[in-house]
Amino acid sequence: MKRIGIIGYGAIGSSIARRVIQGNAVRLAAVCVRGSQREMAEAECGGALVTSTVSELLAQDLDEVVEAAGHEAIKESGALVLGHGCDLHLLSTGALADVTLLEELRAAAAAGSARIKISAGALAGFRGLLALRAGGLTSVRYTASKPSNAWHGTVAAAQFDLERLSEAQVIFEGNAAEAARVFPANANLAAAVALAGVGFERTHVTLIADPQAKVNAGQVEAVSPYGTMTLIMKGPAFENNPKTSQVTALSVVAALEAGSDIMCFA
């Protein structure tokens, strides 16, 4: 049975852990948590090791590590995980807009005979996007619309009075590289779309704060000489993390269990 570890035990990491434990397709062997998360992790993770260091996590003979801790966690530990020979399943894909980091991870993956994995998250359609890319994509647009409170703690909060918005407001328009830099916690799906499509510089991104919205919504519009794809996916966010849709955790569990709708590279 595949043994997995999780880095991060916030809304997404804890949700993935609980669902893995409830299933019987993979085994949760270890989780790496912050000090404030330890008590909850120890109560919920059964016999899995709960640690605060990635080195102890990797000592558990893991097959795959799921990153659910943000861009800095990838910068600090991504190469270590891959070089150790563990596949690395990324959720904070916006970090890969950093070309230097991406090349470092690819080199570590090659050295460790490991893979970098990205699941669909809150956006299905990787297979269709990859198929169109094989024929030559001419344009890819990604639009994310979220309730106003999902943008608290971002630069949008300084630029707009989020509490007083009465209608949908575009808070960012540009390419995926810039979106990942300016909105690291809100643009990970934009980064995943860029990696599956035409790259960070050519993927057009629009981010919207909508005071009327009840759920997070993501839309991809892709055009190639061989076809077009328009895909919309909507879903509720985590109560304690309005930036992230709950289906993100489900997509990771599905990928761990069956490899469904997942992109691998390096």
Side-chain angles (χ1 to χ4, degrees):
M1 181 180 292
K2 180 188 290 187
R3 293 170 57 85
I4 72 158
I6 300 173
I7 299 176
Y9 207 75
I12 304 176
S14 60
S15 179
I16 293 169
R18 288 191 292 268
R19 291 183 180 279
V20 167
I21 290 170
Q22 290 169 4
N24 55 15
V26 296
R27 179 182 175 187
L28 180 64
V31 293
C32 184
V33 305
R34 297 189 183 98
S36 60
Q37 300 167 334
R38 178 177 287 273
E39 185 175 351
M40 182 172 71
E42 289 178 340
E44 294 179 344
C45 291
L49 173 73
V50 178
T51 178
S52 58
T53 68
V54 174
S55 58
E56 286 190 359
L57 182 95
L58 294 175
Q60 303 307 303
D61 190 28
L62 304 176
D63 299 297
E64 187 167 331
V65 171
V66 177
E67 170 279 315
H71 291 200
E72 289 303 315
I74 299 175
K75 294 176 183 178
E76 294 172 3
S77 306
L80 178 63
V81 171
L82 292 163
H84 195 78
C86 292
D87 288 349
L88 178 60
H89 195 129
L90 296 179
L91 287 172
S92 305
T93 48
L96 301 185
D98 182 337
V99 176
T100 301
L101 175 61
L102 178 56
E103 291 308 311
E104 177 186 342
L105 294 177
R106 280 177 163 156
S113 297
R115 295 179 297 172
I116 303 168
K117 296 182 175 182
I118 301 172
S119 57
L123 190 71
F126 272 177
R127 298 181 192 279
L129 193 53
L130 290 168
L132 291 180
R133 185 177 75 177
L137 284 162
T138 55
S139 70
V140 178
R141 299 178 63 91
Y142 172 73
T143 303
S145 177
K146 300 181 181 182
S148 299
N149 67 338
W151 304 101
H152 287 167
T154 73
V155 296
Q159 297 171 342
F160 303 93
D161 190 344
L162 296 174
E163 296 297 335
R164 296 191 177 184
L165 289 181
S166 59
E167 58 185 21
Q169 172 69 55
V170 173
I171 59 171
F172 173 87
E173 195 151 12
N175 65 32
E178 185 69 5
R181 184 184 69 81
V182 179
F183 294 92
N186 275 292
N188 288 311
L189 277 174
V193 169
L195 288 164
V198 293
F200 283 92
E201 299 298 328
R202 292 178 56 203
T203 301
H204 186 89
V205 175
T206 303
L207 303 179
I208 299 170
D210 186 351
Q212 308 303 322
K214 302 300 181 184
V215 297
N216 293 350
Q219 176 173 315
V220 175
E221 300 166 89
V223 179
S224 90
Y226 296 92
T228 62
M229 181 181 80
T230 300
L231 184 146
I232 301 173
M233 192 163 183
K234 300 179 180 181
F238 288 102
E239 290 186 7
N240 58 342
N241 183 0
K243 295 176 173 61
T244 303
S245 299
Q246 293 182 35
V247 73
T248 300
L250 297 177
S251 76
V252 174
V253 174
L256 289 170
E257 293 180 347
S260 60
D261 210 4
I262 190 167
M263 178 169 59
C264 299
F265 61 101

mmCIF file of all heavy atoms in Angstrom, residues 162-191:
data_model
loop_
_atom_site.group_PDB
_atom_site.id
_atom_site.type_symbol
_atom_site.label_atom_id
_atom_site.label_comp_id
_atom_site.label_asym_id
_atom_site.label_seq_id
_atom_site.Cartn_x
_atom_site.Cartn_y
_atom_site.Cartn_z
ATOM 1 N N LEU A 162 -13.307 46.118 0.396
ATOM 2 C CA LEU A 162 -13.980 44.850 0.140
ATOM 3 C C LEU A 162 -15.311 44.736 0.879
ATOM 4 O O LEU A 162 -16.257 44.113 0.383
ATOM 5 C CB LEU A 162 -13.062 43.690 0.528
ATOM 6 C CG LEU A 162 -11.765 43.567 -0.282
ATOM 7 C CD1 LEU A 162 -10.884 42.465 0.302
ATOM 8 C CD2 LEU A 162 -12.068 43.282 -1.753
ATOM 9 N N GLU A 163 -15.390 45.323 2.057
ATOM 10 C CA GLU A 163 -16.612 45.207 2.849
ATOM 11 C C GLU A 163 -17.766 46.000 2.242
ATOM 12 O O GLU A 163 -18.930 45.707 2.509
ATOM 13 C CB GLU A 163 -16.352 45.688 4.276
ATOM 14 C CG GLU A 163 -15.336 44.848 5.046
ATOM 15 C CD GLU A 163 -15.805 43.423 5.253
ATOM 16 O OE1 GLU A 163 -17.032 43.200 5.252
ATOM 17 O OE2 GLU A 163 -14.964 42.533 5.416
ATOM 18 N N ARG A 164 -17.448 46.982 1.415
ATOM 19 C CA ARG A 164 -18.496 47.856 0.887
ATOM 20 C C ARG A 164 -18.772 47.642 -0.595
ATOM 21 O O ARG A 164 -19.535 48.404 -1.191
ATOM 22 C CB ARG A 164 -18.131 49.316 1.148
ATOM 23 C CG ARG A 164 -18.069 49.673 2.618
ATOM 24 C CD ARG A 164 -17.960 51.159 2.830
ATOM 25 N NE ARG A 164 -17.964 51.506 4.250
ATOM 26 C CZ ARG A 164 -17.960 52.748 4.716
ATOM 27 N NH1 ARG A 164 -17.948 53.772 3.867
ATOM 28 N NH2 ARG A 164 -17.955 52.976 6.015
ATOM 29 N N LEU A 165 -18.182 46.622 -1.169
ATOM 30 C CA LEU A 165 -18.468 46.352 -2.573
ATOM 31 C C LEU A 165 -19.939 46.007 -2.745
ATOM 32 O O LEU A 165 -20.499 45.219 -1.975
ATOM 33 C CB LEU A 165 -17.613 45.182 -3.074
ATOM 34 C CG LEU A 165 -16.102 45.417 -3.249
ATOM 35 C CD1 LEU A 165 -15.442 44.148 -3.762
ATOM 36 C CD2 LEU A 165 -15.827 46.576 -4.197
ATOM 37 N N SER A 166 -20.567 46.572 -3.759
ATOM 38 C CA SER A 166 -21.978 46.285 -4.026
ATOM 39 C C SER A 166 -22.152 45.440 -5.280
ATOM 40 O O SER A 166 -23.247 44.910 -5.526
ATOM 41 C CB SER A 166 -22.766 47.593 -4.177
ATOM 42 O OG SER A 166 -22.238 48.373 -5.241
ATOM 43 N N GLU A 167 -21.095 45.304 -6.058
ATOM 44 C CA GLU A 167 -21.145 44.496 -7.276
ATOM 45 C C GLU A 167 -19.769 43.891 -7.525
ATOM 46 O O GLU A 167 -18.783 44.269 -6.884
ATOM 47 C CB GLU A 167 -21.574 45.331 -8.472
ATOM 48 C CG GLU A 167 -20.673 46.513 -8.749
ATOM 49 C CD GLU A 167 -21.216 47.387 -9.866
ATOM 50 O OE1 GLU A 167 -22.420 47.324 -10.157
ATOM 51 O OE2 GLU A 167 -20.423 48.134 -10.463
ATOM 52 N N ALA A 168 -19.730 42.943 -8.450
ATOM 53 C CA ALA A 168 -18.468 42.259 -8.745
ATOM 54 C C ALA A 168 -17.412 43.259 -9.202
ATOM 55 O O ALA A 168 -17.684 44.151 -9.997
ATOM 56 C CB ALA A 168 -18.699 41.203 -9.824
ATOM 57 N N GLN A 169 -16.198 43.087 -8.665
ATOM 58 C CA GLN A 169 -15.105 44.001 -8.945
ATOM 59 C C GLN A 169 -13.876 43.218 -9.411
ATOM 60 O O GLN A 169 -13.409 42.313 -8.716
ATOM 61 C CB GLN A 169 -14.748 44.789 -7.673
ATOM 62 C CG GLN A 169 -13.498 45.638 -7.774
ATOM 63 C CD GLN A 169 -13.680 46.824 -8.701
ATOM 64 O OE1 GLN A 169 -14.594 47.619 -8.527
ATOM 65 N NE2 GLN A 169 -12.811 46.935 -9.706
ATOM 66 N N VAL A 170 -13.367 43.554 -10.589
ATOM 67 C CA VAL A 170 -12.108 42.963 -11.039
ATOM 68 C C VAL A 170 -10.985 43.550 -10.188
ATOM 69 O O VAL A 170 -10.801 44.771 -10.142
ATOM 70 C CB VAL A 170 -11.851 43.256 -12.531
ATOM 71 C CG1 VAL A 170 -10.458 42.775 -12.935
ATOM 72 C CG2 VAL A 170 -12.909 42.588 -13.397
ATOM 73 N N ILE A 171 -10.246 42.682 -9.506
ATOM 74 C CA ILE A 171 -9.161 43.165 -8.640
ATOM 75 C C ILE A 171 -7.785 42.888 -9.233
ATOM 76 O O ILE A 171 -6.783 43.396 -8.737
ATOM 77 C CB ILE A 171 -9.263 42.537 -7.239
ATOM 78 C CG1 ILE A 171 -9.186 41.009 -7.326
ATOM 79 C CG2 ILE A 171 -10.540 42.971 -6.539
ATOM 80 C CD1 ILE A 171 -9.057 40.349 -5.970
ATOM 81 N N PHE A 172 -7.757 42.076 -10.297
ATOM 82 C CA PHE A 172 -6.484 41.826 -10.976
ATOM 83 C C PHE A 172 -6.747 41.394 -12.405
ATOM 84 O O PHE A 172 -7.667 40.612 -12.665
ATOM 85 C CB PHE A 172 -5.677 40.723 -10.274
ATOM 86 C CG PHE A 172 -4.436 40.324 -11.036
ATOM 87 C CD1 PHE A 172 -3.247 41.020 -10.846
ATOM 88 C CD2 PHE A 172 -4.454 39.280 -11.946
ATOM 89 C CE1 PHE A 172 -2.106 40.676 -11.567
ATOM 90 C CE2 PHE A 172 -3.323 38.931 -12.664
ATOM 91 C CZ PHE A 172 -2.147 39.635 -12.467
ATOM 92 N N GLU A 173 -5.914 41.872 -13.309
ATOM 93 C CA GLU A 173 -5.936 41.396 -14.677
ATOM 94 C C GLU A 173 -4.503 41.441 -15.198
ATOM 95 O O GLU A 173 -3.841 42.466 -15.143
ATOM 96 C CB GLU A 173 -6.861 42.249 -15.548
ATOM 97 C CG GLU A 173 -7.194 41.603 -16.870
ATOM 98 C CD GLU A 173 -8.551 42.030 -17.405
ATOM 99 O OE1 GLU A 173 -9.131 42.995 -16.871
ATOM 100 O OE2 GLU A 173 -9.030 41.368 -18.355
ATOM 101 N N GLY A 174 -4.027 40.324 -15.656
ATOM 102 C CA GLY A 174 -2.648 40.237 -16.138
ATOM 103 C C GLY A 174 -2.327 38.798 -16.482
ATOM 104 O O GLY A 174 -3.225 37.993 -16.739
ATOM 105 N N ASN A 175 -1.033 38.440 -16.452
ATOM 106 C CA ASN A 175 -0.679 37.058 -16.769
ATOM 107 C C ASN A 175 -0.546 36.225 -15.501
ATOM 108 O O ASN A 175 -0.581 36.741 -14.370
ATOM 109 C CB ASN A 175 0.580 36.987 -17.640
ATOM 110 C CG ASN A 175 1.828 37.497 -16.949
ATOM 111 O OD1 ASN A 175 1.977 37.371 -15.742
ATOM 112 N ND2 ASN A 175 2.747 38.068 -17.723
ATOM 113 N N ALA A 176 -0.388 34.928 -15.688
ATOM 114 C CA ALA A 176 -0.367 34.004 -14.548
ATOM 115 C C ALA A 176 0.864 34.186 -13.675
ATOM 116 O O ALA A 176 0.805 33.958 -12.464
ATOM 117 C CB ALA A 176 -0.444 32.563 -15.053
ATOM 118 N N ALA A 177 1.983 34.594 -14.270
ATOM 119 C CA ALA A 177 3.198 34.807 -13.481
ATOM 120 C C ALA A 177 2.982 35.923 -12.466
ATOM 121 O O ALA A 177 3.327 35.797 -11.283
ATOM 122 C CB ALA A 177 4.374 35.134 -14.404
ATOM 123 N N GLU A 178 2.403 37.025 -12.926
ATOM 124 C CA GLU A 178 2.151 38.151 -12.036
ATOM 125 C C GLU A 178 1.072 37.803 -11.014
ATOM 126 O O GLU A 178 1.170 38.176 -9.834
ATOM 127 C CB GLU A 178 1.737 39.375 -12.844
ATOM 128 C CG GLU A 178 1.556 40.650 -12.039
ATOM 129 C CD GLU A 178 2.861 41.209 -11.494
ATOM 130 O OE1 GLU A 178 3.930 40.663 -11.806
ATOM 131 O OE2 GLU A 178 2.792 42.196 -10.743
ATOM 132 N N ALA A 179 0.047 37.081 -11.433
ATOM 133 C CA ALA A 179 -1.016 36.678 -10.499
ATOM 134 C C ALA A 179 -0.452 35.821 -9.374
ATOM 135 O O ALA A 179 -0.812 35.992 -8.203
ATOM 136 C CB ALA A 179 -2.100 35.921 -11.249
ATOM 137 N N ALA A 180 0.432 34.892 -9.718
ATOM 138 C CA ALA A 180 1.028 34.019 -8.705
ATOM 139 C C ALA A 180 1.893 34.805 -7.733
ATOM 140 O O ALA A 180 1.954 34.489 -6.542
ATOM 141 C CB ALA A 180 1.859 32.937 -9.387
ATOM 142 N N ARG A 181 2.556 35.849 -8.220
ATOM 143 C CA ARG A 181 3.411 36.657 -7.356
ATOM 144 C C ARG A 181 2.596 37.548 -6.427
ATOM 145 O O ARG A 181 2.888 37.649 -5.236
ATOM 146 C CB ARG A 181 4.342 37.524 -8.203
ATOM 147 C CG ARG A 181 5.346 38.328 -7.386
ATOM 148 C CD ARG A 181 6.177 39.248 -8.263
ATOM 149 N NE ARG A 181 5.367 40.333 -8.806
ATOM 150 C CZ ARG A 181 5.065 41.437 -8.121
ATOM 151 N NH1 ARG A 181 5.465 41.586 -6.859
ATOM 152 N NH2 ARG A 181 4.336 42.376 -8.673
ATOM 153 N N VAL A 182 1.546 38.178 -6.967
ATOM 154 C CA VAL A 182 0.772 39.148 -6.195
ATOM 155 C C VAL A 182 -0.258 38.481 -5.286
ATOM 156 O O VAL A 182 -0.542 38.959 -4.190
ATOM 157 C CB VAL A 182 0.073 40.137 -7.150
ATOM 158 C CG1 VAL A 182 -0.772 41.140 -6.369
ATOM 159 C CG2 VAL A 182 1.115 40.884 -7.989
ATOM 160 N N PHE A 183 -0.822 37.342 -5.748
ATOM 161 C CA PHE A 183 -1.854 36.649 -4.976
ATOM 162 C C PHE A 183 -1.444 35.190 -4.751
ATOM 163 O O PHE A 183 -2.078 34.265 -5.284
ATOM 164 C CB PHE A 183 -3.194 36.701 -5.719
ATOM 165 C CG PHE A 183 -3.777 38.074 -5.841
ATOM 166 C CD1 PHE A 183 -3.510 38.861 -6.952
ATOM 167 C CD2 PHE A 183 -4.585 38.589 -4.841
ATOM 168 C CE1 PHE A 183 -4.046 40.140 -7.073
ATOM 169 C CE2 PHE A 183 -5.130 39.862 -4.947
ATOM 170 C CZ PHE A 183 -4.849 40.645 -6.060
ATOM 171 N N PRO A 184 -0.401 34.941 -3.959
ATOM 172 C CA PRO A 184 0.125 33.578 -3.813
ATOM 173 C C PRO A 184 -0.868 32.572 -3.250
ATOM 174 O O PRO A 184 -0.768 31.380 -3.546
ATOM 175 C CB PRO A 184 1.327 33.764 -2.875
ATOM 176 C CG PRO A 184 1.064 35.047 -2.160
ATOM 177 C CD PRO A 184 0.360 35.915 -3.155
ATOM 178 N N ALA A 185 -1.833 33.023 -2.442
ATOM 179 C CA ALA A 185 -2.793 32.084 -1.852
ATOM 180 C C ALA A 185 -4.064 31.949 -2.671
ATOM 181 O O ALA A 185 -4.904 31.092 -2.384
ATOM 182 C CB ALA A 185 -3.149 32.527 -0.429
ATOM 183 N N ASN A 186 -4.234 32.784 -3.691
ATOM 184 C CA ASN A 186 -5.469 32.783 -4.467
ATOM 185 C C ASN A 186 -5.288 32.410 -5.925
ATOM 186 O O ASN A 186 -6.279 32.299 -6.651
ATOM 187 C CB ASN A 186 -6.132 34.168 -4.407
ATOM 188 C CG ASN A 186 -7.006 34.346 -3.175
ATOM 189 O OD1 ASN A 186 -8.038 33.722 -3.043
ATOM 190 N ND2 ASN A 186 -6.562 35.189 -2.263
ATOM 191 N N ALA A 187 -4.061 32.258 -6.380
ATOM 192 C CA ALA A 187 -3.833 32.057 -7.813
ATOM 193 C C ALA A 187 -3.132 30.742 -8.129
ATOM 194 O O ALA A 187 -2.513 30.607 -9.186
ATOM 195 C CB ALA A 187 -3.026 33.233 -8.375
ATOM 196 N N ASN A 188 -3.232 29.769 -7.246
ATOM 197 C CA ASN A 188 -2.581 28.483 -7.512
ATOM 198 C C ASN A 188 -3.226 27.755 -8.694
ATOM 199 O O ASN A 188 -2.535 27.070 -9.453
ATOM 200 C CB ASN A 188 -2.605 27.611 -6.257
ATOM 201 C CG ASN A 188 -1.649 28.118 -5.200
ATOM 202 O OD1 ASN A 188 -0.489 28.395 -5.485
ATOM 203 N ND2 ASN A 188 -2.127 28.263 -3.974
ATOM 204 N N LEU A 189 -4.528 27.899 -8.851
ATOM 205 C CA LEU A 189 -5.175 27.270 -10.000
ATOM 206 C C LEU A 189 -4.771 27.947 -11.300
ATOM 207 O O LEU A 189 -4.625 27.296 -12.339
ATOM 208 C CB LEU A 189 -6.690 27.289 -9.838
ATOM 209 C CG LEU A 189 -7.260 26.165 -8.981
ATOM 210 C CD1 LEU A 189 -8.743 26.368 -8.777
ATOM 211 C CD2 LEU A 189 -6.984 24.817 -9.603
ATOM 212 N N ALA A 190 -4.577 29.245 -11.249
ATOM 213 C CA ALA A 190 -4.090 29.946 -12.433
ATOM 214 C C ALA A 190 -2.738 29.388 -12.846
ATOM 215 O O ALA A 190 -2.453 29.208 -14.041
ATOM 216 C CB ALA A 190 -3.981 31.443 -12.144
ATOM 217 N N ALA A 191 -1.901 29.091 -11.865
ATOM 218 C CA ALA A 191 -0.578 28.527 -12.149
ATOM 219 C C ALA A 191 -0.701 27.128 -12.739
ATOM 220 O O ALA A 191 0.024 26.767 -13.671
ATOM 221 C CB ALA A 191 0.252 28.495 -10.868
#
